[in-house]
Amino acid sequence: MSQARPPAALTIAGSDSGGAAGLQADLRTFVTCGVHGLVAVTAVTVQNTLGVHDRTDIPANIVAAQIEAVADDMGLQAAKTGMLASAEIIHAVARACDKAGIGRDAEVPFVVDPVAASMHGHPLFDEAGLSALREELLPRATVVTPNLDEVRLLTGIDVTDRDRMREAAVALRDLGPRHVLVKSGHLVEDPECVDVLYDGTTFTELPGPRFATPHTHGAGDAMASALTAGLARGMEMAEAAKFGKWFVSNAVEHSYPMGAKVGPVSAFWRLAPEPSP
Ligand SMILES: Nc1ncnc2c1ncn2[C@@H]1O[C@H](COP(=O)(O)OP(=O)(O)OP(=O)(O)O)[C@@H](O)[C@H]1O
Ligand SMILES: Cc1ncc(COP(=O)(O)O)c(N)n1
């Protein structure tokens, strides 16, 4: 017996062989949030809890073709980016998204997670990629979701407290996105973990506890993909951002050790009890 069609969301992202971040985190988050996941793979990384050891990028025309193929045939209600690997891939993604009706002022909302480096500090694109991100993707974004390192790269602002987060959100919005969500994970001196959403008029705080765990690999992807799932399900931006924060807070609380260094955040907390045969 066939079921009703679930909402669908597209991730345009790289593969993490460790399964903590990248498209693996996005697909896991989508399914646990009731959304069918579509994928345009941008790169394959050789990655574990120690870092990114090697990678190969997918040809830009194949990245664009994946976006067009799923948009044409299957339809989607939201899209997000993760690792985009190079300026050439960013140009191709921008063009493909325009064709597919994905973007700031288009039918399908576009969540741009400006992933610049892995949490181990390994760059996931270069200087040309940063300019392309700033010039081509931020003006197309319904929301951009930087961490504090990405805020510094994009605006030059060194965020040291919550007031500076608001200042950074204003500077980022001047680069063109409709909404800005500044993530607070790196503000380690703050006893809470309060992300900030800005729509050009109003700042909305997304409060949450700061959990004392070293295992936060994939937290950024989990936040942005839960927000994307919320949008795909028809939520307004502030509601989707709160949903994303709630999802990632639980994911960090239930994170687990695996490998020699930083373990993954969890999506297991959201799965139903094991089904009986
Ligand atoms: N220790 C923590 N406790 C609770 N929430 C956290 C913690 N660390 C990060 N978060 C939340 O996780 C999300 C990601 O935040 P962060 O600023 O670390 O982004 P990121 O650097 O892109 O993530 P990562 O590199 O870990 O994948 C945010 O919503 C943030 O509030
Ligand atoms: C393929 C891929 N995409 C994104 C990240 C960023 O995630 P994190 O900041 O948790 O390392 C990553 N490490 N690998």
Side-chain angles (χ1 to χ4, degrees):
M1 198 175 66
S2 63
Q3 303 277 314
R5 179 197 190 283
L10 167 68
T11 179
I12 307 166
S15 166
D16 166 10
S17 50
L23 67 87
Q24 289 80 2
D26 294 342
L27 290 182
R28 186 167 53 238
T29 305
F30 287 164
V31 79
T32 52
C33 294
V35 169
H36 177 93
L38 307 165
V39 192
V41 190
T42 56
V44 174
T45 69
V46 177
Q47 189 170 172
N48 58 20
T49 67
L50 300 170
V52 179
H53 307 288
D54 206 350
R55 68 183 240 201
T56 189
D57 297 349
I58 303 298
N61 64 317
I62 297 295
V63 177
Q66 293 173 80
I67 297 170
E68 286 164 27
V70 296
D72 281 353
D73 176 50
M74 301 172 80
L76 56 140
Q77 282 64 53
K80 87 169 272 279
T81 63
M83 171 185 180
L84 290 175
S86 70
E88 202 192 344
I89 291 180
I90 293 173
H91 300 319
V93 166
R95 281 194 301 273
C97 286
D98 287 349
K99 266 201 212 166
I102 299 165
R104 186 189 194 282
D105 303 311
E107 196 182 327
V108 179
F110 192 28
V111 178
V112 174
D113 191 10
V115 176
S118 80
M119 67 178 312
H120 321 89
H122 297 111
L124 297 176
F125 59 47
D126 55 15
E127 198 51 45
L130 186 64
S131 304
L133 178 78
R134 199 188 277 113
E135 284 153 29
E136 295 192 48
L137 282 199
L138 293 196
R140 286 178 164 84
T142 310
V143 60
V144 62
T145 61
N147 67 24
L148 298 187
D149 291 335
E150 292 149 0
V151 165
R152 195 176 312 108
L153 279 172
L154 289 164
T155 66
I157 297 175
D158 193 13
V159 174
T160 46
D161 57 33
R162 290 190 206 166
D163 287 343
R164 294 281 274 178
M165 280 175 79
R166 289 181 176 221
E167 189 189 319
V170 173
L172 279 159
R173 194 164 181 285
D174 287 344
L175 298 174
R178 186 181 289 272
H179 302 263
V180 176
L181 195 162
V182 180
K183 295 178 296 188
S184 61
H186 299 198
L187 217 53
V188 289
E189 304 291 299
D190 193 326
E192 289 171 87
C193 211
V194 185
D195 299 348
V196 172
L197 177 71
Y198 178 60
D199 65 2
T201 312
T202 306
F203 294 98
T204 305
E205 290 204 335
L206 309 170
R210 181 175 297 275
F211 297 103
T213 172
H215 304 303
T216 57
H217 196 191
D221 303 82
M223 163 42 138
S225 51
L227 184 162
T228 305
L231 293 175
R233 296 185 68 145
M235 295 178 194
E236 295 297 328
M237 183 58 67
E239 192 190 355
K242 284 176 193 160
F243 178 73
K245 176 64 186 173
W246 169 79
F247 184 91
V248 75
S249 226
N250 278 282
V252 174
E253 185 179 11
H254 294 91
S255 66
Y256 42 90
M258 187 171 258
K261 280 204 171 161
V262 183
V265 302
S266 176
F268 290 124
W269 63 274
R270 190 143 161 83
L271 295 177
E274 294 210 355
S276 36

